[in-house]
Amino acid sequence: MSRFSISQITTVTQSFADDLDAYRAAGAEGIGIWEMKLAEDSLERFRASGLQSAAAVPAVPSILPLPLMEGPADPDERVEAICAGIRRLAPFEPACVLALTGPGDDRETIVEGLRAIGDEGRRTGVRVVLEPIQREFAHYWTIVSSLADAGELLDEAGADLGLMYDSWHLWREPLEEIERYRDRIRGVHLADWREPTRNTHDRVLPGDGVVEFGPILDALRWDGLFDLEIFSDPELPDSLWKEDPHELARRGLEQLRRTVLSVSA
């Protein structure tokens, strides 16, 4: 039985409490928690909601600095912030906590950071995952742009991390790669690709773009939460972030559910 969740960046302007209300009203089974939205009462509200926790994102998500997000410049401070985020998110029992490498050429620092993050995840009982970012916009986010890149980096580091599959980033990668790394995938984000895509924050809802989800979902054989994750540039005239968040959650979940269930039917 497929289960569905919404990542909180999808309704970026709402509070944690409002997200819980919107996602429950939309019929979601889960929520992808972003640490930046947590308030003092968020854990209590979350437990009362009956929702499950999908992939969670720490407030500082990468080892090296990100050009498009604020945060410490020093990688050691960033790694400690990620570890603190893992500890803060652990009580929500997320399916996984997501991490990025950040862009740059300091591979040694990235490798050391991945080991430390993996160790923190093991201590707290939280699975941490590394997310590859698609090649066109990788220079904003990462040094790994495929499951193979990410898997090889983790093997090099000997780091105790799994992998994140995001359809917006990896829909053009070979299906054989999904099959090769399927047992290491601990979280799945779904969004569609607009053609042409205008920038790194220009996703569309499943079914509104050019991604052929059938072969991807067949290769994944995913039995966890399918997590809708939408980034949308508010400077663009048709930005999804300009829509009413409750309506976006309802419509987004409806299209996510239709997309997934049409494959398994």
Side-chain angles (χ1 to χ4, degrees):
M1 187 71 171
S2 297
R3 295 172 295 128
F4 305 93
S5 60
I6 302 174
S7 181
Q8 287 189 283
I9 199 66
T10 303
T11 52
V12 66
T13 60
Q14 287 200 133
S15 69
F16 188 93
D18 288 339
D19 283 343
L20 290 175
D21 290 342
Y23 301 173
R24 287 177 60 196
E29 287 85 14
I31 178 173
I33 295 173
W34 281 63
E35 185 189 1
M36 67 181 187
K37 286 199 174 189
L38 294 182
E40 288 187 6
D41 63 348
S42 291
L43 183 58
E44 179 182 358
R45 287 179 178 273
F46 167 73
R47 287 174 173 167
S49 74
L51 296 177
Q52 297 172 285
S53 181
V57 182
V60 175
S62 68
I63 296 166
L64 300 182
L66 299 174
L68 302 181
M69 290 183 69
E70 296 181 357
D74 180 66
D76 289 339
E77 292 181 30
R78 298 183 68 86
V79 169
E80 178 48 43
I82 295 171
C83 291
I86 292 170
R87 293 190 294 271
R88 189 179 185 194
L89 290 162
F92 294 85
E93 300 182 9
C96 58
V97 171
L98 182 152
L100 303 170
T101 68
D105 55 8
D106 191 351
R107 193 176 183 92
E108 181 178 351
T109 293
I110 290 171
V111 164
E112 292 174 357
L114 290 171
R115 289 174 184 152
I117 294 165
D119 289 345
E120 186 64 45
R122 186 169 57 251
R123 281 191 294 269
T124 56
V126 175
R127 170 60 72 183
V128 184
V129 296
L130 180 62
E131 182 174 43
I133 302 294
Q134 59 83 33
R135 299 173 194 279
E136 184 175 349
F137 301 115
H139 58 284
Y140 291 123
W141 307 103
T142 190
I143 67 167
V144 292
S145 294
S146 68
L147 292 174
D149 288 345
E152 289 165 8
L153 178 62
L154 294 178
D155 290 344
E156 176 187 338
D160 188 16
L161 279 76
L163 298 171
M164 186 80 192
Y165 182 88
D166 187 310
S167 63
W168 193 80
H169 294 302
L170 301 178
W171 67 280
R172 289 172 290 195
E173 298 297 312
L175 295 174
E176 293 78 9
E177 201 166 274
I178 298 178
E179 294 165 355
R180 178 183 174 190
Y181 289 97
R182 180 168 52 220
D183 291 344
R184 297 171 68 173
I185 294 172
R186 295 291 178 267
V188 171
H189 280 155
L190 294 186
D192 215 332
W193 180 272
R194 183 196 303 273
E195 191 61 60
T197 289
R198 296 164 290 186
N199 63 36
T200 190
H201 288 164
D202 193 25
R203 305 184 189 189
V204 291
L205 298 177
D208 288 345
V210 298
V211 176
E212 293 186 23
F213 284 97
I216 291 171
L217 296 176
D218 285 342
L220 280 171
R221 301 180 195 171
W222 181 245
D223 61 359
L225 287 161
F226 289 98
D227 199 27
L228 177 71
E229 187 188 56
I230 297 295
F231 286 78
S232 192
D233 185 349
E235 298 299 317
L236 297 173
D238 51 357
S239 172
L240 293 174
W241 279 355
K242 291 182 177 180
E243 293 191 14
D244 174 75
H246 278 253
E247 174 58 21
L248 178 60
R250 184 203 63 77
R251 188 162 63 89
L253 194 73
E254 179 182 296
Q255 292 189 212
L256 174 65
R257 190 185 303 274
R258 184 188 309 131
T259 296
V260 173
L261 296 183
S262 68
V263 174
S264 59

